[in-house]
Amino acid sequence: MTDKPFRFFDNRLKYLTFVNTTNEKWRISERVAQELPRLTPRPPALRVFDAGMGDATVLSNTMRAMHQMYPNVPFYMVGKEISLEDLRLSLDKIPDRLVEHPASVVVMTNLFYSEAPWLHPNAPDMAERVVWKSIALEGQSSIGFQEQLRDLDPFLVENWQVRSSPKTGNPLYVNPTVLVIYRKDFDFLLDNVIPSLGDRRAEYDLVLASQPWRARTPAAQKARSVLAPLTRSLAPGGRMMVVQSAGNDPGEQIVNFVWPDIELFPVNRYDLVASLRDELGAEVSKFDLTIPNGGDALLSYRMHTLPEEVGPSIGTSTLSAAWNAATYVAQIEDQLIEETHGSVAHFDITGETLHKYGGLWFNDEVFTVSRLP
């Protein structure tokens, strides 16, 4: 084994292949929509924080569902994303949302989980270096909005740079940056919604925390670095939905066959909530940390396949996609995967599993945390 820090979330090929060959983001979006009737928006806007925006599929789908339920309520949407590539993909989804729901403010930032909800770095030296850019989009058409957002690319290239943590290998921001987007013809209506540098207001009605960590990170660290700050960012009556891989599915069987000694998903929702209780301390009385059981806690999703693709002979592309999905969900290091090159054993077990189950599916577990009114 190497001492090189693990950089799982930087592997773009794995990520993009997984996103485009499974319906996980669709299923998560459907689950988020179930939370919307439980919200009680208060003026001046319905406030949502996405703790790991990715390519903004979930965020944009959430905005669609929000528009259907709250067509006349202003939206304040904040997405945290460290990846420049994902930020570019996200910006492509924003123009249509601003056409359908023009009373929207969309904010994107590369700050840490403990900082992003407030749009303010914790370290004083970083707080003095914040790059804050507001763009009021001209016009009323999605193509016009798209062109203006694409003109931002030089700014993004300069300010969305990352460096690697010497301890974990995780990407860290170089410049703490906040990008605020809204329609100029709605700036009067959104005057109390558009954030300004130094506001430091969180108070979110809904927080989305989908796969925001390395699976085998200890529960106490997840609670301290991610869950506790996000919980504290909730408004009274606000809800946080947490999603993480749970295993006990065909994908885990494939990976365990190749690496039987690795415990893939050692931290379950009970461990997370217990650690969150400890981290919140005396504040815990402000929140409902009820843990769901049974079907309410599980969310299953599948790899896209056609019936003929899982026939007597499975094509190499399908086997490769299934193997990628299984190792991506299990967060297997590149070095271990490279050790399987030159052998077909991993493809053999992948094919056998696809035949056994008629395809490939995975389990996520879901739980919510809410702040009491």
Side-chain angles (χ1 to χ4, degrees):
M1 295 294 290
T2 179
D3 292 330
K4 183 180 178 181
F6 182 63
R7 298 189 60 173
F8 171 76
F9 290 104
D10 284 348
N11 192 316
R12 300 300 301 166
L13 179 59
K14 282 185 182 180
Y15 170 75
L16 293 174
T17 302
F18 172 79
V19 166
N20 288 287
T21 58
T22 71
N23 67 344
E24 185 193 29
K25 289 185 178 290
W26 298 2
R27 297 285 289 118
I28 292 174
S29 299
E30 292 170 351
R31 181 63 180 81
V32 174
Q34 296 176 21
E35 293 295 320
L36 299 183
R38 301 182 174 97
L39 306 181
T40 306
R42 298 169 300 168
L46 196 165
R47 300 171 65 85
V48 176
F49 181 80
D50 189 344
M53 183 173 58
D55 66 354
T57 296
V58 173
L59 186 66
S60 58
N61 285 342
T62 297
M63 292 182 72
R64 290 186 178 95
M66 288 166 53
H67 175 76
Q68 183 177 32
M69 183 162 292
Y70 305 107
N72 299 312
V73 174
F75 295 164
Y76 175 76
M77 316 294 294
V78 179
K80 168 193 159 38
E81 184 50 58
I82 191 73
S83 164
L84 174 59
E85 292 84 355
D86 273 335
L87 190 68
R88 286 171 171 148
L89 294 173
S90 299
L91 288 173
D92 275 344
K93 296 181 173 68
I94 297 306
D96 290 343
R97 297 302 89 229
L98 294 180
V99 170
E100 181 177 60
H101 199 94
S104 298
V105 177
V106 179
V107 183
M108 300 180 180
T109 183
N110 60 2
L111 298 179
F112 301 138
Y113 290 106
S114 61
E115 304 170 335
W118 295 269
L119 303 179
H120 188 84
N122 293 326
D125 60 326
M126 286 295 179
E128 294 177 358
R129 292 173 46 194
V130 172
V131 179
W132 187 286
K133 184 175 183 63
S134 293
I135 175 169
L137 298 174
E138 304 272 0
Q140 300 179 338
S141 69
S142 60
I143 186 64
F145 297 157
Q146 184 180 60
E147 291 170 350
Q148 293 170 71
L149 292 176
R150 286 184 176 174
D151 288 342
L152 289 172
D153 201 64
F155 167 82
L156 301 178
V157 170
E158 179 180 357
N159 293 290
W160 237 268
Q161 298 178 33
V162 299
R163 59 185 177 86
S164 295
S165 166
K167 290 181 61 178
T168 66
N170 287 337
L172 308 175
Y173 61 73
V174 174
N175 299 316
T177 306
V178 176
L179 175 64
V180 182
I181 303 167
Y182 58 93
R183 287 178 51 154
K184 186 174 182 180
D185 55 345
F186 274 75
D187 60 356
F188 185 88
L189 175 65
L190 297 171
D191 183 63
N192 291 331
V193 181
I194 300 168
S196 299
L197 178 62
D199 283 350
R200 304 195 198 185
R201 182 189 174 194
E203 297 182 352
Y204 293 98
D205 300 295
L206 179 64
V207 170
L208 312 177
S210 176
Q211 312 284 12
W213 42 55
R214 171 104 168 104
R216 292 179 282 284
T217 299
Q221 184 176 335
K222 293 176 180 177
R224 179 176 61 256
S225 302
V226 182
L227 287 181
L230 297 183
T231 298
R232 294 185 177 108
S233 77
L234 291 171
R239 299 175 66 83
M240 174 171 68
M241 191 183 96
V242 184
V243 183
Q244 69 167 7
S245 299
N248 194 28
D249 51 42
E252 184 179 26
Q253 292 178 27
I254 292 173
V255 176
N256 274 335
F257 180 87
V258 181
W259 296 287
D261 297 329
I262 300 178
E263 187 178 5
L264 301 178
F265 310 107
V267 179
N268 61 34
R269 62 188 182 277
Y270 299 100
D271 301 325
L272 289 175
V273 172
S275 293
L276 178 58
R277 286 183 180 276
D278 292 341
E279 188 66 30
L280 291 174
E283 295 178 83
V284 74
S285 62
K286 301 176 183 178
F287 303 96
D288 181 356
L289 303 182
T290 303
I291 304 175
N293 293 306
D296 289 342
L298 293 179
L299 181 155
S300 294
Y301 62 95
R302 302 188 67 88
M303 189 183 85
H304 301 303
T305 55
L306 297 173
E308 60 268 23
E309 291 181 307
V310 192
S313 178
I314 301 177
T316 302
S317 61
T318 300
L319 289 174
S320 297
W323 172 248
N324 177 81
T327 55
Y328 180 87
V329 170
Q331 300 180 5
I332 299 299
E333 293 91 337
D334 285 344
Q335 180 188 351
L336 289 177
I337 295 176
E338 289 170 2
E339 292 173 0
T340 66
H341 294 174
S343 170
V344 296
H346 58 293
F347 278 159
D348 290 341
I349 186 60
T350 301
E352 292 172 11
T353 303
L354 290 174
H355 279 135
K356 180 179 179 179
Y357 294 101
L360 190 61
W361 51 270
F362 302 88
N363 286 325
D364 285 346
E365 60 180 351
V366 182
F367 66 92
T368 57
V369 172
S370 59
R371 183 185 283 269
L372 301 176

